[in-house]
Amino acid sequence: MEQKPRVVRRITIIKGSFQTPYVLLTVGFFGALTLMIFLDYSWFVQDSVLTNPTRPDLTELFAKASWTFYMRFILYILSLVFFLYVLFHRLAGPALRFKRLARSVAEGDLTQRVHLRNFDGLKDVQDDLNLMMDSLAGTIKKDRETIGTALKNLDGLKDQTLSLDARVRLDSARTSLSQVLKSFKL
């Protein structure tokens, strides 16, 4: 059984322009949601408790509780940012590896494969992409063999007595066929 090479993490934050907008969007959403809940609670307490003239000490207690909430809110947001960077790192890494694979295929390199870490997202896409690369490389290898056979057949015709026009067309076909599929690295 073939053993896949272990992919070592080199980067903690993958391309900020790719990962950061998703983190900020999620933090903004959860932060706004938490702030709305707190403000709703705060207004409820102010309306029902702090306007109570029999308990003036509640105002000071509420001010302390509000300060504590703000500190907790900041810690909550910071822990959410950390969690989201870890989560999106597991999604951004594979997406960037897939993008790198697409670039290498566009450049004609069919030797590249995608290898993800164990806990990365999109592991099933990795297998499909690698299968696609194997299939594409196999098809191009077969086409190269077919073209090689055609070139040998054309070389066999070289020794026969042919008109000048036929020889020029044979040379042109040989040149065209020899250039086909040379741009791919297998």
Side-chain angles (χ1 to χ4, degrees):
M1 184 161 95
E2 180 182 328
Q3 191 172 19
K4 294 179 183 177
R6 186 171 195 282
V7 178
V8 180
R9 178 188 302 230
R10 290 179 233 148
I11 303 170
T12 303
I13 297 175
I14 299 174
K15 196 175 181 182
S17 64
F18 183 80
Q19 192 173 355
T20 302
Y22 297 110
V23 170
L24 292 178
L25 181 67
T26 308
V27 166
F29 173 74
F30 282 108
L33 186 64
T34 304
L35 194 58
M36 286 189 321
I37 291 170
F38 171 73
L39 290 175
D40 186 37
Y41 168 75
S42 173
W43 292 328
F44 171 76
V45 169
Q46 282 180 344
D47 288 345
S48 62
V49 177
L50 296 181
T51 57
N52 186 348
T54 60
R55 299 283 315 263
D57 60 323
L58 289 179
T59 304
E60 184 179 323
L61 182 66
F62 183 72
K64 287 180 184 178
S66 295
W67 175 252
T68 304
F69 170 79
Y70 291 128
M71 293 307 294
R72 287 182 185 164
F73 180 74
I74 289 170
L75 289 174
Y76 167 72
I77 292 297
L78 289 176
S79 63
L80 184 63
V81 166
F82 175 74
F83 169 75
L84 288 173
Y85 266 106
V86 170
L87 175 68
F88 288 133
H89 182 75
R90 294 297 183 179
L91 295 174
L96 290 175
R97 284 189 183 91
F98 297 154
K99 188 175 180 180
R100 196 176 308 137
L101 176 70
R103 282 190 186 140
S104 70
V105 170
E107 293 169 359
D109 184 4
L110 301 180
T111 62
Q112 299 295 318
R113 298 296 181 267
V114 177
H115 301 286
L116 301 178
R117 297 171 301 227
N118 288 336
F119 298 108
D120 279 344
L122 307 173
K123 281 288 256 187
D124 55 334
V125 177
Q126 165 197 305
D127 298 336
D128 291 340
L129 280 174
N130 288 338
L131 183 64
M132 178 193 71
M133 292 298 296
D134 292 338
S135 174
L136 185 61
T139 301
I140 290 177
K141 278 182 184 177
K142 286 179 186 175
D143 290 348
R144 274 190 181 172
E145 291 170 4
T146 303
I147 289 173
T149 304
L151 286 172
K152 285 179 185 174
N153 291 338
L154 286 176
D155 286 340
L157 292 174
K158 189 195 256 185
D159 296 334
Q160 294 182 3
T161 309
L162 299 172
S163 68
L164 182 62
D165 182 45
R167 285 196 180 281
V168 169
R169 288 174 45 204
L170 258 171
D171 288 338
S172 174
R174 184 183 302 109
T175 304
S176 296
L177 282 175
S178 64
Q179 295 302 317
V180 175
L181 304 177
K182 280 195 173 183
S183 61
F184 289 108
K185 179 182 174 187
L186 297 175

